Amino acid sequence: MPHSNISIFIPHVGCPHMCAFCNQRTISGEQDIPRAEDVIRICSQALNEVSDLNNSEIAFFGGSFTAIEREYMLELLEAAHEFVGAGKFKGIRISTRPDYIDGEILDILRHYGVTAIELGAQSMRNHVLKANERGHTAEDVYRASELIKKRGFELGLQIMTGLYRSKYADDLKTMYRVIKIAPSTVRIYPTVILKGTKLAELYDEGLYKPISFERMIELCARMLEEFDANNIRVIRCGLHSSDNIKGSKVGGFYHPAFKELCESEIFRRKIETEILKSNLNKTVWECVKSRFKPYVIAVNPLSISKAVGHKKCNSEYFGNSVRFVADEKLSKYECELRG
Ligand code: SF4
């Protein structure tokens, strides 16, 4: 069931780590640090604005929630718990690092009504985690994930693609390992190179050479399909647009409609396959050119705009020789040639 989160951004105050891609150090001091009264104000405001509160969560995002100073973490949890305890929200969602999860912290989170925990795994390849100075290993992700699931929390994993020293095959390996862990949700963040980070230095020195944007779309499209096929909900693909990115991006993979581009790619490939299936020994172009009426492609009704493509890119790609019809029996990324 669709739901909306009441998001509260927590900058990672005094984070002792130095991840190669993170600019928290350079922007700390520019960010507002929410206190209990801010949590109360934001939640009270949401009570008036959001219609389906019983299906909404209070989400503490932006940093490593369980790694912030304990007293401050409890202050925020207590404020949020007032609302969850009174049955006004479904629960609390937090994101954190895998090496800041243990039995004690999970007991605290449970006590305050936390229901979902997202871990910043970033990669499941130790050489990549090391090169990007994450300060934890893939084993930490396995251990924390198991503990979270065992205690009955909803598990989410966040991964980054195209990190320094992560080849296409490393990102795929990360995907397969994440599928094996079987979280409920995944967020895919293609790496964006931000000013003031170690990645930016490596990029300037020519030591970090990201793959092409097209190849990244192809990789993330494949991930969307694989996660979907394994019943893992992808709740984000591509970084959110924010002033922080606009002012400090020096390279990498940012596009405001990144997920739409990936979904367009999924359907473009599938439509090509469908067209070629019925025209052996021809190229797609020969098929499209020699056709007097449009190909009829059936997709799930909710996927028609994805099949048409971002800014109609697929319709244009096929020279407007494809017409889409809805068939609710088809799954999210399925398509079939119907004539
Ligand atoms: S990404 Fe790394 S450096 Fe940045 S806040 Fe999180 S743990 Fe700290």
Side-chain angles (χ1 to χ4, degrees):
M1 192 184 282
H3 67 280
S4 53
N5 287 337
I6 314 306
S7 297
I8 301 169
F9 182 78
I10 311 292
H12 194 170
V13 205
C15 173
H17 298 278
M18 293 270 281
C19 304
F21 50 83
C22 177
N23 68 348
Q24 285 284 315
R25 288 265 159 125
T26 47
I27 61 172
S28 62
E30 294 170 24
Q31 296 169 313
D32 292 332
I33 296 167
R35 309 296 321 196
E37 54 269 28
D38 299 307
V39 175
I40 293 168
R41 179 180 45 78
I42 293 166
C43 293
S44 306
Q45 208 173 319
L47 291 178
N48 300 322
E49 289 168 3
V50 180
S51 53
D52 188 12
L53 283 171
N54 289 333
N55 206 26
S56 301
E57 290 165 319
I58 301 168
F60 289 113
F61 277 127
S64 302
F65 192 76
T66 58
I68 57 178
E69 201 208 321
R70 182 62 60 93
E71 218 175 294
Y72 175 49
M73 182 185 86
L74 294 179
E75 174 187 325
L76 298 172
L77 283 174
E78 260 165 36
H81 184 239
E82 293 277 311
F83 290 85
V84 176
K88 293 183 172 139
F89 294 92
K90 195 176 83 173
I92 301 173
R93 203 174 180 89
I94 63 137
S95 65
T96 194
R97 290 172 54 96
D99 49 344
Y100 284 79
I101 286 291
D102 58 25
E104 189 230 348
I105 203 83
L106 291 179
D107 285 343
I108 296 174
L109 297 178
R110 163 74 68 232
H111 175 78
Y112 285 100
V114 171
T115 38
I117 301 173
E118 291 190 34
L119 294 179
Q122 317 314 6
S123 173
M124 292 302 285
R125 303 288 282 152
N126 280 336
H127 73 274
V128 176
L129 292 170
K130 193 161 181 220
N132 290 274
E133 300 177 18
R134 270 297 280 173
H136 69 79
T137 61
E139 288 67 39
D140 288 319
V141 181
Y142 284 121
R143 183 197 50 80
S145 299
E146 203 187 323
L147 215 50
I148 289 168
K149 285 173 80 174
K150 247 193 204 154
R151 299 281 184 108
F153 292 92
E154 180 190 303
L155 171 69
L157 290 178
Q158 303 175 1
I159 57 172
M160 292 179 70
T161 54
L163 278 169
Y164 175 50
R165 297 245 163 105
S166 191
K167 295 197 179 114
Y168 192 96
D170 291 309
D171 287 346
L172 282 185
K173 190 95 184 169
T174 290
M175 175 189 77
Y176 287 119
R177 288 182 173 171
V178 166
I179 288 173
K180 219 159 175 202
I181 293 173
S184 302
T185 62
V186 155
R187 290 180 200 257
I188 306 169
Y189 291 119
T191 303
V192 177
I193 308 169
L194 300 172
K195 236 188 251 169
T197 61
K198 167 102 183 278
L199 270 197
E201 277 171 35
L202 292 164
Y203 182 63
D204 282 348
E205 289 162 16
L207 295 169
Y208 170 43
K209 294 191 181 103
I211 57 173
S212 70
F213 193 80
E214 290 67 33
R215 190 99 168 109
M216 181 53 74
I217 294 284
E218 188 200 301
L219 170 68
C220 293
R222 188 164 168 187
M223 288 189 170
L224 286 180
E225 261 199 280
E226 293 276 357
F227 285 130
D228 183 65
N230 286 280
N231 296 316
I232 298 170
R233 208 154 48 88
V234 179
I235 54 177
R236 184 85 211 160
C237 179
L239 218 52
H240 261 298
S241 71
S242 70
D243 293 332
N244 179 14
I245 292 179
K246 269 183 231 151
S248 47
K249 172 184 171 274
V250 294
F253 309 99
Y254 174 72
H255 189 286
F258 192 87
K259 189 175 182 189
E260 284 86 337
L261 293 179
C262 297
E263 291 182 318
S264 305
E265 165 80 10
I266 294 173
F267 279 103
R268 185 186 58 73
R269 273 191 289 114
K270 291 198 162 178
I271 296 164
E272 274 184 345
T273 309
E274 286 298 300
I275 291 176
L276 289 174
K277 254 200 262 172
S278 63
N279 294 278
L280 296 174
N281 305 324
K282 277 191 183 175
T283 67
V284 171
W285 302 118
E286 285 165 346
C287 298
V288 166
K289 267 197 237 152
S290 60
R291 181 93 173 171
F292 296 109
K293 56 178 185 159
Y295 285 100
V296 180
I297 301 283
V299 296
N300 183 286
L302 297 176
S303 299
I304 288 193
S305 63
K306 302 182 202 326
V308 170
H310 177 62
K311 296 191 173 166
K312 301 195 175 145
C313 63
N314 286 347
S315 294
E316 282 170 20
Y317 178 86
F318 292 105
N320 294 312
S321 297
V322 170
R323 188 165 68 79
F324 297 99
V325 293
D327 182 344
E328 59 192 13
K329 288 195 283 309
L330 296 175
S331 64
K332 189 175 174 184
Y333 293 132
E334 229 179 340
C335 73
E336 266 178 27
L337 184 66
R338 293 281 166 85

